[in-house]
Every structure is written in C-alpha cells, then in structure tokens.
C-alpha cells in the first residue's frame, strides 16, 4: 500500500493539470540516499541542492583543516546520505510549500497510479473546475 500526499497549486486550474497537483510519496527515498545531490536537482529542489553542495564542500575541506579526520568525514558523508534518503520527501513537500502549493489530502493505493485515481475521483470538481 502506497500512501501519498497531494499538494495543489492555489488558484484556478492552469493549462497543464499535471503541474497543478503534485503527489509526493510518504516515507524515504532510496534514490535520494544513493544520489543525494542529483535527486534534488531532478526534482527542482534548488535550495536543498545548494545546501547539500555547501555541506559536502565543508566535508571535503575538513581533512585539510583537521589532521587524520578522513574516517570521520567518511562517516559523516554516509550519515548525510542516509538522512537525505529518510527525509527527501519531507524536503520535497517543504519545497512545494515554499512555491505556494497547499496540502490537498492524503491518499492510499496499491501504487501511485491508483492513489492518483482515487484522489481525482474524490476531489474531481475541486481540482478540475475553477
């Protein structure tokens, strides 16, 4: 069972209904854990990507400033990747809120497509009409 959060752009429906409603899965993201800088760039999360680049730059500079800190830096890099994987979808919802999207509801389904179908069935007139 997949649980997704629906975020809706305020105002009248636009030309592309796909961009008016965004479904964000609950839970973590394995792709965000494996690719912690590339994933936010793909999802257009520019502030999160910039913050990660700054943190990674700090991790790269740490062995230059502190002698014998290589193992500690590797541990911190792994922790950063795991935290990104665990909180990636929370950061995506935060980014959508910053762009003016509002919370529309939580929907469950066997997969994301079924959850989307249930959402549009329940909120159809609210989403389709202005």
């Amino acid at each position: 069972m997949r649980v997704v959060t629906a975020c809706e752009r305020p105002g009248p429906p636009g030309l592309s209904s796909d961009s008016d409603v965004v479904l964000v899965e609950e839970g973590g993201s394995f792709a965000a854990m494996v690719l912690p800088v590339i994933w936010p760039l793909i999802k257009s999360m520019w502030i999160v990507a910039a913050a990660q680049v700054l943190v990674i730059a700090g991790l790269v500079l740490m062995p230059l400033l502190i002698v014998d800190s290589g193992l500690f830096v590797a541990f911190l890099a792994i922790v950063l990747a795991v935290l990104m994987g665990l909180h990636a979808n929370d950061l995506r919802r935060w980014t959508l809120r910053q762009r003016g999207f509002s919370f529309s509801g939580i929907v469950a389904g066997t997969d994301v497509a079924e959850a989307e179908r249930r959402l549009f069935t329940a909120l159809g007139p609210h989403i389709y009409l202005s």
Side-chain angles (χ1 to χ4, degrees):
M1 186 64 72
R2 300 278 180 152
V3 178
V4 296
T5 302
C7 298
E8 183 180 2
R9 186 184 313 266
L15 297 175
S16 172
S17 61
D18 291 343
S19 64
D20 287 342
V21 177
V22 178
L23 299 179
V24 181
E25 289 191 53
E26 293 290 325
S29 170
F30 182 74
M33 183 177 68
V34 175
L35 306 167
V37 176
I38 296 171
W39 190 83
L41 291 174
I42 292 171
K43 300 294 182 180
S44 300
M45 300 168 50
W46 311 118
I47 295 172
V48 174
Q52 283 195 330
V53 166
L54 290 174
V55 169
I56 291 171
L59 289 176
V60 168
L61 291 175
M62 189 179 269
L64 300 174
L65 302 173
I66 302 171
V67 180
D68 294 333
S69 62
L71 187 60
F72 182 67
V73 169
F75 174 73
L76 286 178
I78 292 171
V79 168
L80 175 68
V82 169
L83 286 175
M84 181 59 194
L86 291 174
H87 296 287
N89 289 324
D90 296 329
L91 290 169
R92 186 163 182 219
R93 278 186 287 280
W94 175 81
T95 301
L96 290 171
R97 269 195 317 271
Q98 298 302 313
R99 291 186 183 157
F101 282 74
S102 61
F103 173 78
S104 291
I106 297 176
V107 185
T110 55
D111 58 0
V112 177
E114 182 184 342
E116 184 177 54
R117 203 170 31 257
R118 286 182 178 185
L119 173 75
F120 289 136
T121 300
L123 300 178
H126 173 68
I127 291 175
Y128 294 131
L129 303 174
S130 55

